[in-house]
Amino acid sequence: MNSTIILNLMLWPSLIGFIINGIFGSRMSKNLVGLIACAGPLTSFVATVIAFFSFRDTSTIVDLYTWFQFTKNIYVGFTFNIDNLSMLMMFIVSGVGTLIHIYSIGYMHEDKGFWRFMAYLNLFLFSMIILVLANNLPLLFAGWEGVGLCSFLLIGFWFSNDEYNAAAKKAFVMNRIGDLGFILAVFLIAKTYDTLDFKLLTQKFLESGLNTPVNIWITILLFVGVTGKSAQLPLFTWLPDAMAGPTPVSALIHAATMVTAGVYLVARMFAIFDMTPFTQQIIVYIGLATAFIAATIALKQNDIKKVLAYSTVSQLGYMVVALGCGAYITAIFHVMTHAFFKALLFLSAGSVIHGLGGEQNIANMGGLKSKMKWTHLVFLIGTLAIVGFPPLAGFFSKDEILAVAFSKNIPVFIGLGLCSVFTAWYMFRLYFSTFQGEYRGDHHKWDHAHESPMIMLFPLFVLAILSIIGGFFGMPEVISEHHAIDSFLKPSIFSKNVFHVSHTFDYMLWTLTVLVLALVMYLTYKRYTAKSKSAYDAQSEGIGKVLSNKYWLDEIYELIIIKPLRILSDWFNRVFERVGIDDVIQSPGFVLQRAAKGLGILQSGSISYYILSMIIGFIIFFLMFIKK
Amino acid sequence: MYKPDIIQYISLNHYLILGAALFAIGLIGVMVRKNIIIVFMCIELMLNAVNLILAATSTFYSDSGGQVMVFFTMAVAAAEVSVGLAIIVMMYKNIHSLNIDLFNRLKG
């Protein structure tokens, strides 16, 4: 089929859904709204499948129309690129997106703003599709900003709650800081390389020298953008707060798709990162620090969604480490498996929250497996997938990242290994405290606890299956010669980095993984299935206190950034605003006011006086006239 | 042969002086009188002073345009009188006075 038609089918349906639901949603029945909302991503998914069979292993450029053109070479059009990388991302975005739309119909059905929610989700999906398919940096940036906007709208979806609004603003501002880096990088690229088209850029990057200062600046600025969007240190604190939004939003935007945009960006621009080992070093350590800090914070969180949020940050850290090592395909592979199991975990957590009538504190849960058989099953699958239990999805992708780290940098490998242990600990803690043991909460809620309806369970089943089989696309060479993801993405990401680890290492890693997982499972089982809530209390001393308080990161930011900023703005307000602006601006008004008061005396109210002045005026006028 | 009109037995200057005098009387009346009806009458006086001058000059210069103009002025004056008197009646109903100085609420 014609590539333009397919592209249009991939791109526009969600926008149409947004427009219809956004304008007429409040007057349509909920079923119709849900149907229209789901039709958009589903159409995109089907179009992606068609594209997969028609344009595999090619890079099909579709130029819809010109957006703007600066110089002869800097042409920015609505130009889209259907290649293997964007197709894989499209599969993730539209596939997981469709499932989450379906889930949302069940989850949000009782909400007044149901139509608004579905419209926002559609708009988000449209922006994400632009981001993924864009063939030049400004268009990618447009999608990048679009998803940021939708993230803001959806975090603050329940806008009558001030705390949620604050979370939405925090996410928006944090992302703005990153976006500033991104856009500066775009300017620098345009100035240095005189093009913004990805294909040309890749060539020019590969021809440029190693570690040139301008390349280092570009990569660092781009990475600032990545730290904002993909929640890396030091800008990750917005993501845990973003859990204020409804759970499907957390699953779709803040776990499966939007936050991986940064990873996607680096993979798209792999050529320039390959040319700057200096930046790659920074990226590795930032990723490692993020993975470590987030994983340790997750150990002490009691909110079911917060644990998953920190887990997401930590997993993003893994991907960033892989990017820093130059293993772009591995990072994208982890993006894919992570999208499956993290969406699954979030959605099943949503199912638990839904079933318990809004309860999110795991200290008040327990024993739910008898009430929610299916949710329990899929949550278990998600947990095993994320901790890397063979042969589920997370096992293969995480194993690959660890292998990459091992072949590049042993200390980083050890750090990531430690993070994996933490991951196992907090995930099993979450699982056991929610579904096993005895119920610890309010008995009223227990009596009402129920399994979610089929419309919510169906996406969970699909995601559970994907979480089980997702890893088979990227099996290590010990098992199979053919690494499906690797050979699929090679045409798009033709980085020459090779990572080789011995088979012995692989076997040792797997044995170790299974042993550690078994040990962690045993320990967490003992500790978190107990009837008492003491295991969940915030600790008042030692390392536990640091973790419960999230390393006081928010407080530190408050102290070193927000406070000085506030003092500075106060000073500007007092001095510059009052004296410099207010007085200058108000002086013409003041003069006019005074003058008006003086001239007002002429308006005495006496008619004879008016007539006299009129006659004098006439006489003067006629005299002038006659003189002529 | 040219036959002078009856009006032309008196020279044009006299008409003009009379018109100007009437106009001045009317103008001064408008300015100094307080009773709104007197003021109104003075306005009529000014109109008629102009009418007189128009009629006289039109005759002296044998141009009927001025006399046509007079008819227009009279028609407009009639309309103005009806509206003006109605306004005066309403004013009186509102504040029970015809003193023009009391209608000064719009002053600055």
Side-chain angles (χ1 to χ4, degrees):
Chain A
M1 225 202 284
N2 188 327
S3 59
T4 315
I5 298 174
I6 291 186
L7 182 94
N8 283 328
L9 281 176
M10 282 158 113
L11 190 62
W12 304 112
S14 302
L15 183 68
I16 295 168
F18 162 69
I19 292 171
I20 296 176
N21 278 343
I23 296 175
F24 306 109
S26 55
R27 270 156 285 169
M28 295 194 299
S29 76
K30 285 190 173 173
N31 290 334
L32 189 60
V33 170
L35 198 69
I36 290 171
C38 292
L42 191 63
T43 317
S44 297
F45 183 74
V46 172
T48 312
V49 173
I50 298 170
F52 176 75
F53 287 113
S54 324
F55 310 122
R56 223 183 131 173
D57 296 337
T58 61
S59 167
T60 312
I61 308 281
V62 181
D63 187 7
L64 289 185
Y65 55 88
T66 310
W67 186 8
F68 57 83
Q69 182 156 23
F70 273 136
T71 61
K72 193 158 83 25
N73 291 327
I74 302 182
Y75 166 80
V76 177
F78 261 65
T79 317
F80 297 91
N81 180 7
I82 309 177
D83 69 348
N84 286 0
L85 176 60
S86 61
M87 267 196 279
L88 181 70
M89 287 302 284
M90 275 300 294
F91 273 122
I92 299 170
V93 170
S94 61
V96 175
T98 310
L99 292 173
I100 292 175
H101 275 71
I102 296 171
Y103 178 92
S104 306
I105 296 177
Y107 191 83
M108 297 298 288
H109 202 266
E110 306 307 318
D111 200 285
K112 275 206 311 293
F114 176 74
W115 62 275
R116 195 161 55 85
F117 182 79
M118 292 318 249
Y120 286 166
L121 274 192
N122 268 341
L123 182 63
F124 166 76
L125 217 72
F126 172 68
S127 312
M128 193 69 203
I129 289 171
I130 285 197
L131 193 160
V132 166
L133 287 175
N135 189 42
N136 53 50
L137 276 166
L139 191 59
L140 189 147
F141 188 67
W144 183 276
E145 290 298 300
V147 293
L149 168 73
C150 295
S151 160
F152 167 78
L153 290 173
L154 285 163
I155 295 169
F157 180 73
W158 287 310
F159 51 73
S160 50
N161 183 325
D162 272 347
E163 221 176 288
Y164 294 178
N165 285 334
K169 276 185 276 184
K170 185 175 180 183
F172 206 62
V173 171
M174 287 283 198
N175 269 305
R176 268 314 65 69
I177 301 172
D179 295 345
L180 180 68
F182 188 159
I183 197 136
L184 288 177
V186 174
F187 292 151
L188 206 53
I189 288 173
K191 187 165 162 34
T192 317
Y193 292 101
D194 195 34
T195 180
L196 291 167
D197 179 277
F198 281 134
K199 213 176 240 173
L200 290 172
L201 277 179
T202 306
Q203 277 170 14
K204 290 193 175 178
F205 287 151
L206 289 174
E207 287 157 10
S208 68
L210 208 61
N211 261 348
T212 56
V214 67
N215 276 2
I216 289 180
W217 275 110
I218 291 172
T219 45
I220 285 181
L221 287 170
L222 278 178
F223 189 65
V224 169
V226 174
T227 55
K229 195 60 88 193
S230 287
Q232 296 298 301
L233 268 178
L235 298 177
F236 79 92
T237 53
W238 67 268
L239 187 58
D241 285 13
M243 297 303 131
T247 310
V249 172
S250 311
L252 178 62
I253 302 184
H254 305 120
T257 53
M258 185 189 87
V259 288
T260 60
V263 181
Y264 170 76
L265 174 72
V266 177
R268 252 292 164 236
M269 309 280 288
F270 73 96
I272 191 166
F273 284 92
D274 261 357
M275 287 291 140
T276 47
F278 175 78
T279 320
Q280 285 188 319
Q281 283 296 312
I282 298 177
I283 295 178
V284 167
Y285 287 110
I286 290 216
L288 179 65
T290 311
F292 185 81
I293 286 181
T296 47
I297 293 175
L299 294 174
K300 284 289 166 197
Q301 296 299 311
N302 282 342
D303 183 321
I304 185 167
K305 283 177 75 182
K306 280 269 163 77
V307 176
L308 292 174
Y310 280 107
S311 153
T312 306
V313 177
S314 172
Q315 297 299 314
L316 288 166
Y318 274 86
M319 298 170 203
V320 169
V321 168
L323 292 174
C325 293
Y328 308 103
I329 294 176
T330 307
I332 295 289
F333 180 35
H334 199 55
V335 165
M336 183 182 93
T337 56
H338 178 257
F340 296 153
F341 58 66
K342 192 48 72 65
L344 172 64
L345 285 169
F346 263 117
L347 293 185
S348 39
S351 172
V352 170
I353 297 167
H354 191 73
L356 283 179
E359 179 64 60
Q360 298 198 6
N361 192 341
I362 53 171
N364 297 331
M365 295 179 186
L368 288 172
K369 70 173 173 187
S370 61
K371 285 270 186 181
M372 303 177 177
K373 248 192 318 212
W374 293 114
T375 308
H376 161 246
L377 180 69
V378 293
F379 196 92
L380 180 61
I381 291 172
T383 308
L384 292 176
I386 190 175
V387 299
F389 198 86
L392 275 67
F395 171 71
F396 292 106
S397 57
K398 219 179 221 177
D399 172 74
E400 208 174 301
I401 293 180
L402 286 172
V404 162
F406 184 76
S407 66
K408 271 262 178 181
N409 194 336
I410 304 278
V412 172
F413 164 74
I414 294 169
L416 282 187
L418 203 58
C419 290
S420 296
V421 180
F422 292 146
T423 309
W425 183 281
Y426 65 68
M427 282 315 299
F428 280 127
R429 168 177 180 264
L430 192 63
Y431 166 71
F432 285 127
S433 59
T434 311
F435 291 101
Q436 301 286 355
E438 284 178 67
Y439 185 66
R440 292 177 298 274
D442 171 17
H443 272 271
H444 190 67
K445 276 184 177 156
W446 173 255
D447 296 335
H448 284 90
H450 58 85
E451 182 60 286
S452 299
M454 202 53 212
I455 194 161
M456 285 165 73
L457 288 177
F458 165 72
L460 290 177
F461 295 148
V462 179
L463 285 169
I465 292 165
L466 287 171
S467 298
I468 295 170
I469 62 165
F472 298 141
F473 296 117
M475 282 195 280
E477 58 169 316
V478 180
I479 299 177
S480 135
E481 284 287 299
H482 184 67
H483 190 296
I485 294 282
D486 197 60
S487 50
F488 183 63
L489 289 182
K490 264 282 179 269
S492 302
I493 307 175
F494 38 90
S495 163
K496 293 195 177 54
N497 300 328
V498 194
F499 305 94
H500 191 75
V501 286
S502 64
H503 291 190
T504 339
F505 168 79
D506 265 345
Y507 290 129
M508 273 170 59
L509 187 64
W510 297 351
T511 325
L512 201 65
T513 309
V514 175
L515 285 177
V516 167
L517 285 182
L519 182 68
V520 170
M521 217 180 206
Y522 173 73
L523 289 175
T524 45
Y525 180 76
K526 290 274 280 201
R527 191 171 157 82
Y528 294 107
T529 48
K531 176 79 179 147
S532 96
K533 289 189 189 178
S534 62
Y536 302 97
D537 291 344
Q539 277 154 353
S540 56
E541 57 188 21
I543 192 98
K545 189 182 178 194
V546 179
L547 297 184
S548 304
N549 286 301
K550 307 159 192 168
Y551 294 92
W552 290 282
L553 271 177
D554 279 323
E555 285 78 2
I556 291 171
Y557 287 171
E558 171 88 30
L559 197 70
I560 62 168
I561 297 171
I562 300 175
K563 270 250 180 73
L565 210 60
R566 194 157 282 169
I567 292 169
L568 191 69
S569 349
D570 268 353
W571 183 80
F572 267 104
N573 184 27
R574 251 193 352 264
V575 179
F576 197 71
E577 170 85 13
R578 293 282 146 74
V579 181
I581 296 180
D582 277 11
D583 288 0
V584 170
I585 299 290
Q586 284 173 7
S587 54
F590 185 74
V591 169
L592 275 181
Q593 245 172 7
R594 271 298 158 91
K597 215 161 233 171
L599 290 171
I601 297 165
L602 291 178
Q603 300 274 319
S604 62
S606 151
I607 290 171
S608 358
Y609 182 72
Y610 294 163
I611 292 169
L612 183 67
S613 31
M614 187 180 92
I615 289 161
I616 293 170
F618 266 131
I619 290 171
I620 294 171
F621 182 73
F622 278 122
L623 284 178
M624 282 163 65
F625 199 65
I626 289 162
K627 226 174 152 187
K628 213 175 158 192
Chain B
M1 119 149 235
Y2 178 69
K3 224 170 151 200
D5 202 316
I6 184 110
I7 289 178
Q8 292 172 332
Y9 285 110
I10 305 171
S11 72
L12 179 62
N13 274 353
H14 289 84
Y15 289 106
L16 292 183
I17 291 167
L18 176 66
L22 282 174
F23 190 87
I25 291 167
L27 192 61
I28 291 167
V30 169
M31 284 199 294
V32 301
R33 296 307 294 256
K34 299 293 173 205
N35 190 314
I36 193 160
I37 291 181
I38 307 280
V39 170
F40 203 62
M41 280 155 62
C42 291
I43 291 172
E44 292 299 314
L45 196 60
M46 283 153 76
L47 271 174
N48 285 320
V50 176
N51 280 350
L52 180 65
I53 293 174
L54 277 173
T57 43
S58 115
T59 313
F60 275 93
Y61 290 107
S62 309
D63 180 355
S64 56
Q67 289 172 37
V68 173
M69 191 70 198
V70 169
F71 280 111
F72 275 117
T73 317
M74 277 156 71
V76 171
E80 180 234 315
V81 165
S82 63
V83 174
L85 282 176
I87 291 174
I88 291 170
V89 170
M90 288 314 293
M91 281 173 157
Y92 186 77
K93 275 190 179 167
N94 273 321
I95 62 170
H96 298 289
S97 164
L98 289 175
N99 189 342
I100 203 162
D101 284 346
L102 293 177
F103 302 104
N104 62 355
R105 277 186 242 161
L106 280 179
K107 72 170 175 181

